[in-house]
Amino acid sequence: MANTSQGVRRAALLASAAAALGLLTACGGEDGTGGTAQRVAGTPAAENPSPSVSPRCHTSQLRAFVGRNDPGAGQWNFPIVLTNTSGRGCTVRGYPGAAFLDASGKQLGPDPRRSPATPVTVTLAPGASAWAGLTFSHPEVSGARSATPASLLVTPPGEREPLKVAWTAGRVPVSGNASTVFLTAFSPGTAP
């Protein structure tokens, strides 16, 4: 009988230790972060976040458009917006690819440069959007050589296939002083 009660006691101690370990694990990681799911503010979230991660958005799941100019201090600032048109959630992280094209499809000016930033992963539920900034000095103010593009090619992060958007906002700098075009990383929503 003594061996049986000692075995029961050991089993009870092991069960208690396992339960305590489970509680410690659920309360947070060893790096001091909580055990709750984190997301970028402004992105849609389910009531009970699941531990699964949405896959990267592919070009075929997205629609692109260029938002309204928000000028300031001789700068033109346009949001490049990607909207999830699929029936499933997906993510974007980082910078878009972008290139201005003339009517014959020839690229105007060099590729835009990336503004320094720490990219975040933006989760796009069906119908949700993310935007990246497209900024350049107004050609009439900067004196840069300019051209009027027919379209803007937008390539989602991690993809090779671009989306073509009609460009209706006038002239853009293509060479000379202050001709650099800058891109920002994606943020949730359709504009700042």
Side-chain angles (χ1 to χ4, degrees):
M1 277 298 198
N3 285 342
T4 304
S5 69
Q6 192 175 24
V8 170
R9 201 174 350 197
R10 279 188 188 150
L13 284 173
L14 285 173
S16 296
L21 183 59
L23 286 174
L24 288 174
T25 304
C27 290
E30 54 187 60
D31 64 351
T33 60
T36 59
Q38 295 181 2
R39 64 181 182 88
V40 175
T43 58
E47 287 295 318
N48 297 314
S50 70
S52 64
V53 176
S54 296
R56 182 183 82 224
C57 295
H58 297 288
T59 303
S60 62
Q61 297 172 282
L62 300 167
R63 177 179 53 90
F65 72 91
V66 176
R68 189 173 54 91
N69 183 18
D70 183 19
Q75 294 288 315
W76 281 5
N77 305 294
F78 297 91
I80 297 174
V81 180
L82 294 180
T83 301
N84 180 358
T85 59
S86 76
R88 295 182 177 178
C90 60
T91 62
V92 293
R93 179 183 176 87
Y95 299 83
F100 291 110
L101 303 179
D102 65 14
S104 67
K106 179 183 173 196
Q107 183 170 338
L108 298 170
D111 290 338
R113 292 187 184 167
R114 294 176 173 184
S115 296
T118 302
V120 296
T121 299
V122 181
T123 301
L124 300 180
S129 299
W131 70 277
L134 176 74
T135 302
F136 53 86
S137 295
H138 186 297
E140 291 178 17
V141 174
S142 70
R145 196 174 126 251
S146 63
T148 303
S151 59
L152 176 69
L153 283 186
V154 177
T155 307
E159 293 292 294
R160 293 177 187 245
E161 192 65 33
L163 297 162
K164 194 174 196 178
V165 180
W167 182 260
T168 59
R171 301 183 75 72
V172 301
V174 293
S175 67
N177 293 337
S179 64
T180 304
V181 176
F182 292 95
L183 291 168
T184 66
F186 279 104
S187 296
T190 58

